Amino acid sequence: PVAFIACNNSGRSIAGLHLLVSRSTTSIVSSPIMRSLITFVCAAFYLSAVINDGQLSATRCLMAPLMLMNFPSPLSVLAFQHVQTNRPTQTNRPAAGYISRRTTHLVFAAKGDQSMEPSPSKNTVKKRKTFTKKKKNATKKGVNKKRRTSSKGNVALKTASSATADMSRKAKIKASSIKSNKNSVTTTANKKNQNISPTYYIQFSRVFQRHVVYNTKTDTTTPAANDQVIQSFQFLDDAITSYPKARIVAPRDVPFPPPLCTIDWTLLSSSSSSSSAVAAAGYNKIEEECETTIAGMGLFGLCELEYDADNNHVHNRNGKYPVDTMTTTTISDGNNANQPQQQHDVQSNEALRTLLKLVSSSSSSVIPRHFFRLDHRRFALGGHTPESITINHARVVSLLSRTRDGGSSSSIGLAMSSSDVAFVLSNFPQLCLYDTLELETFIRFLLAPLPPSNIPSITIVADTGVGGEKVDWPRLAYEGYGVGLSLEQATKAMRLMPELMALYYEDSRKPSVGYLYTQLQQQINVMSPQLCDEVKMQLGQFLEGADFSDTLTLGYLYGYLGISWKKLRLLLSAFPLWTTNNLDPGWEILQRGPVRSSLKRHSLDYLRQRLQIRPSDVYKMIKTHTRLSTYDAATKILPTLDKLQRSLGLRNSELRQLILRMPSVIGMGTSEKDGGKPSAFDQRLDFFQNEAGMSIKELKEAVLKQPSLIQYGIASSLRPKLDFFLRELGIPHEHIGRIIHTSPAIMGLSLNTLRLKVASIMKLCALHPYEVGMIVAVSPPTLFLSQKGKIEPALKYLALALSLDEPRNLGELVLKAPRLLRQGLETSLMKKIDLIAEALPSTIMEDSNRVAAGILRQNPALFDTSNAVITERIERCVDAGKDVAQYLLPSTKGRKKLFQYPTRELGDPIFMSSIATFDSSLSKIYPDAASSAKEMGLKRADIVKACTNGLPLDGHYFSSLMYPCEVKSKSLSASTADTTKTVYVSMFCSGGIYPSDSVEATRGQSTTGGFAIQIISEGTEETRLLFEMSNAANKCFGIRVPLGRERSGDKLLTVFPLVNPSRNRCDLFSCASALRVLEAFLATKRKDVQLFYDIKVHTDSTYVWKFVRDQERLMSLGSCFTSQEMLSRLDVTDGSSFNVDILHPLARSFSRLNGQEEPPQSKNHRPFYNSRVNFCSSFDGKLQPREIKTLKELGKSAAMWQFNREKSFVPK
């Protein structure tokens, strides 16, 4: 009664009530009189709840004392069924008797017939109509239910016809979290899958590490070995989405109940004698959860799956459940809380001894090749018993030697001799723990014929090894196809390397490289360095980041057994466990940052299972984020991935995409700090939701576009940019979320970069910052465009092509069509003018262009329309005989503006900078002088005066569009125009990498770099100058890439010679290399005092322009003799973000070429007094945008040339 009242008043969950009653009734439930009294009172409350259709909380409260008393009464079954029939639909409140994922209290129970479970899509009226009928059926079935207590004091219900009936009938475990997940994915599933047969079920295949959808062939819903394979998926949630009504069945080798799910961790943690909240008797909740995880399960666990009859006798095929697992150990106090698995430990130790006895060989020559993990904990978690080990051992022996023993032609097995079987089992006894049906599937796939060549996906995988994750291997195996190995090849391969039959990641590691190489060399004498190199060349995409023992194994399969490369690619694609992670980080990872000397195998295996990735992906992740090697799976990786997936509502495939793109998010803090302070992730989540006004769905999509978004600092990056949008650009707060959602990469740009882009638009278009803010609100990607490469060239072209003499006219045009800046200059803006001009009746092209420009001035929205749509509209107009000029005029229809500022006169905006040159740095943009004066605490007149005279005010420079200040430029060269002749040279630099980085690609992939330099000179001696420049380049570059059809005189192509190639490093190195070529060229011209070389080095990279646009600062950095001195002047300690290994030589060369004296420590270099070098943007030079793009493609082609060269290189 006390529990009933407390539950009604406070709505406690079953877990809390369980503890409440256990602490208050532990001392009295042992009395028979009190047990009868409590049973009577609970029955009365139950009947009252049923008659009055009482609240569900009453029935929940009823279950707790019945569970604690372990009283085998039908009342407990009635209560349990009543809870199932009337459980709430809220997904955040698990019903009694169900298991919630990763909760602190596990209530383990099974239910009988699935038909008793109400469909989540039924409405309340239908539930009430069927409630009486279901209640009667439940009452009848309840008397046949037998309650069996688990070994941890929790309750488990087992379906049986009577107390002594066969216990192999179907029993299931279901979690409320699974049902909620099914409800959520049903709404997004295809309509054609809504009426899927109830005979469909999803079960995990350990052979292929995929979740397979089956259709039972028999009338019953019990899974069978020959069930039809419908489809398979890498991730469970994808399978549920496609088949929302399919049952989710546990793998065949998982026992019922899973021992991990029968541990009451709450009682263990609350016990005063327990030393840890999660560990007891050697069992750790999170660690065991990591070890028992299933690949692609995501947030699902073993306790949330359905368990059918196969799981009852998976280890005891005689149909009877092992007696030992029926034994119960109830935790009633803290004295025995440290021994929750006593019965399981005894049973598992006996099973371990039985296995070792069966696999031990009397021959002294059979010595295990390596130590493997095989302890009683694994036996306990797997529910193994001596009887099940004995039966499974006999089956495995028969499977390995079936064809040799004269099996039928239809039987599946290998042809090992008795001695070979003894060798295999003594070295790999884990085979006796596997389900033999899974092993049969594995061997059948090895021996089955190859699929027909008309299947494109299989052909691509066999030829290139790409796309194996998209092939439905279980379906292929069900149709009778495989890799086509001969019986002899399969037998010899498994005899040499039994680990190839591993079904668990922890068993897949092969013997040591030294032992394996020695044995292979002695036995077959085919292993050689040349063969290993050939294996890496043919199967490199599978072996990157894999252990070298995998290379030796594949070399044996190819060199000795004669298995072709195509078949090996199919095998490696179908069986993920054939490759293992290399625990040696290697020099490429060691030189990138802090990393363990030996990687954590368990953490790497968990990453592979959770994300369904290969060793190559893990290797790339560690290259990108070396601290990943130090993270523990149980304490860091699992909690972080769970937090990310739950908080952002990510699917498993989306989580994989996020982690592969930004592995460093695993290191982000997701747990609460001391004192209850929110974690860093929670703080950012709160910022985006409350301050930026974003929904979880918008944030999720933004993070998938820009994974680093959830890693930016709030105080240092996010909040200042939010203030920039609100205050400097005047964007209403309700549009901020849309800006971040549409273009999250904007939040990664520096404020100075954003202000410079805004200032460029303001100057060229005579716009107020609030008007630019309206453009940004309508078209957020505008701020992500390159200032020199896209914004300024497009605006200058529009002003010229449309004859817009006044900047304000251009600004009005952009305000009417804000998205036009995102259009390509040549492919869209120019093309539209040509399309309209060609459709006009005028025969004079100049008149047509002038009329077309007038049409576009009146209707600038045409710039936002695709070329195909405009062409179609023009053709439709011509066919109808209408006037094209009139037809393309603007209409009253169009998009509704998001917002519009008042038409009142806005003030003259003010720019503030810490340096006199406003084109390289801006500290803030003010809407008018009054606002700047108010914030700075100055007078408005002083601000206006500072704008006109160009003098600093309180250490800041001010400028306005109306009164721009003029700053005299200083010469960078000691030598001026004293010479008689000046030679003008322009060098355009561009770099590239291959393969290109993309959202789909994993960060950290192996890339190569290259760059191209184009030289343009004015004068009659151009040919000679280009020849001398080419000779100078030969002295500077070790490898010159052939140009093919391109002229070799004005273009130089070479490869990136340094480590860690990236697009930014290649662009920066191209400029540094251009200066090196100039030094080598000018070194031969020192005596020619009659010539002065005025040189401009152009770059198309915004990253490089950030370093070189302030050339006075670059001269100052060039006076630093060492890179450490440069870093101290930059006030930084880590030079990786500045690429100091490239920037320092660039600054030193720039200093010498401009005649600056060398530091006293320099002995081998002298300044040049006959040259002057300036850096410019490529878009400010003589090359057209098309030519700049071509040069960029040449740089990438040099990188591709080097990539193919390295790939095809095999040392002899």
Side-chain angles (χ1 to χ4, degrees), residues 417-434:
S417 63
S418 57
S419 60
D420 290 340
V421 173
F423 174 83
V424 169
L425 293 182
S426 63
N427 284 279
F428 196 62
Q430 292 95 321
L431 283 176
C432 298
L433 308 181
Y434 296 164

Side-chain angles (χ1 to χ4, degrees), residues 457-760:
S457 59
I458 301 298
T459 304
I460 294 175
V461 174
D463 293 338
T464 64
V466 178
E469 67 280 356
K470 299 179 182 179
V471 177
D472 196 340
W473 301 106
R475 175 68 183 177
L476 201 67
Y478 174 77
E479 295 175 351
Y481 298 114
V483 292
L485 300 185
S486 66
L487 180 61
E488 181 183 4
Q489 287 176 329
T491 301
K492 288 185 177 180
M494 299 306 115
R495 164 62 175 80
L496 176 80
M497 192 60 61
E499 289 79 5
L500 295 178
M501 292 184 283
L503 301 183
Y504 293 83
Y505 278 86
E506 61 187 35
D507 301 336
S508 61
R509 187 160 188 82
K510 301 171 181 63
S512 64
V513 173
Y515 172 87
L516 187 59
Y517 188 85
T518 303
Q519 292 299 315
L520 292 176
Q521 193 69 18
Q522 291 177 356
Q523 295 179 14
I524 59 179
N525 196 26
V526 297
M527 299 307 300
S528 63
Q530 289 77 15
L531 178 60
C532 294
D533 291 334
E534 187 176 2
V535 171
K536 292 181 179 179
M537 183 185 69
Q538 294 288 345
L539 307 174
Q541 66 269 37
F542 299 101
L543 297 177
E544 184 181 12
D547 194 81
F548 188 66
S549 60
D550 297 330
T551 303
L552 297 177
T553 302
L554 296 172
Y556 165 78
L557 298 180
Y558 170 76
Y560 183 70
L561 298 183
I563 302 176
S564 65
W565 296 121
K566 291 186 176 181
K567 292 182 179 180
L568 289 176
R569 293 189 188 100
L570 292 176
L571 287 167
L572 291 171
S573 300
F575 303 138
L577 272 64
W578 271 39
T579 54
T580 57
N581 290 98
N582 188 3
L583 303 184
D584 183 11
W587 69 270
E588 191 174 4
I589 294 180
L590 290 173
Q591 57 92 23
R592 287 177 178 263
V595 65
R596 285 174 56 92
S597 58
S598 179
L599 305 181
K600 294 183 178 180
R601 172 175 173 79
H602 180 53
S603 298
L604 305 185
D605 286 346
Y606 179 77
L607 278 173
R608 290 189 60 188
Q609 294 181 83
R610 181 67 181 268
L611 304 177
Q612 287 282 43
I613 55 179
R614 302 263 179 187
S616 58
D617 296 317
V618 177
Y619 179 72
K620 296 170 186 175
M621 290 168 61
I622 298 178
K623 281 174 58 179
T624 305
H625 183 58
T626 57
R627 293 187 182 274
L628 182 62
S629 63
T630 63
Y631 297 155
D632 185 75
T635 60
K636 184 63 178 177
I637 299 177
L638 184 147
T640 303
L641 296 184
D642 283 355
K643 180 76 171 181
L644 286 172
Q645 193 164 2
R646 282 202 197 94
S647 301
L648 298 178
L650 297 171
R651 301 183 62 82
N652 291 327
S653 57
E654 293 171 339
L655 178 66
R656 175 174 65 179
Q657 174 188 343
L658 172 64
I659 299 301
L660 290 181
R661 290 294 304 154
M662 189 62 62
S664 57
V665 299
I666 301 179
M668 183 173 50
T670 55
S671 57
E672 290 187 358
K673 302 178 182 179
D674 296 338
K677 184 179 179 181
S679 63
F681 175 73
D682 290 330
Q683 293 178 21
R684 295 184 179 101
L685 205 65
D686 178 76
F687 170 83
F688 286 113
Q689 288 184 278
N690 297 328
E691 297 190 39
M694 299 179 68
S695 64
I696 287 295
K697 181 181 178 181
E698 292 176 333
L699 180 59
K700 166 189 168 181
E701 295 174 354
V703 170
L704 291 177
K705 295 178 185 177
Q706 185 79 6
S708 58
L709 185 65
I710 53 177
Q711 291 186 289
Y712 297 146
I714 296 178
S716 59
S717 179
L718 296 177
R719 194 167 284 128
K721 292 185 180 65
L722 179 64
D723 184 74
F724 167 75
F725 291 132
L726 294 174
R727 298 179 181 275
E728 298 185 37
L729 299 186
I731 300 175
H733 186 273
E734 57 268 20
H735 298 287
I736 300 298
R738 179 180 176 273
I739 293 175
I740 302 176
H741 171 238
T742 306
S743 299
I746 293 178
M747 306 302 288
L749 300 177
S750 66
L751 280 174
N752 184 59
T753 301
L754 293 174
R755 291 188 178 109
L756 289 175
K757 293 179 180 180
V758 171
S760 178

Side-chain angles (χ1 to χ4, degrees), residues 43 47 157 171 210 221 268 295 387 413 456 517 529 590 644 697 745 838 845 881 909 1034 1037 1069 1082 1128 1145 1153 1160:
L47 294 176
L157 298 178
R210 296 175 73 92
T221 59
L268 292 177
E387 294 82 359
Y517 188 85
L590 290 173
L644 286 172
K697 181 181 178 181
E838 292 173 359
M845 195 61 188
N1034 291 332
F1037 305 143
F1069 189 78
L1082 292 175
S1128 62
L1153 289 170

Side-chain angles (χ1 to χ4, degrees), residues 938-969:
L938 302 172
K939 295 181 179 180
R940 182 183 180 279
D942 296 336
I943 299 293
V944 174
K945 183 178 180 180
C947 292
T948 56
N949 58 28
L951 297 178
L953 190 64
D954 285 352
H956 298 282
Y957 293 89
F958 294 89
S959 177
S960 67
L961 292 179
M962 186 179 298
Y963 305 106
C965 63
E966 297 182 359
V967 180
K968 296 181 180 180
S969 59

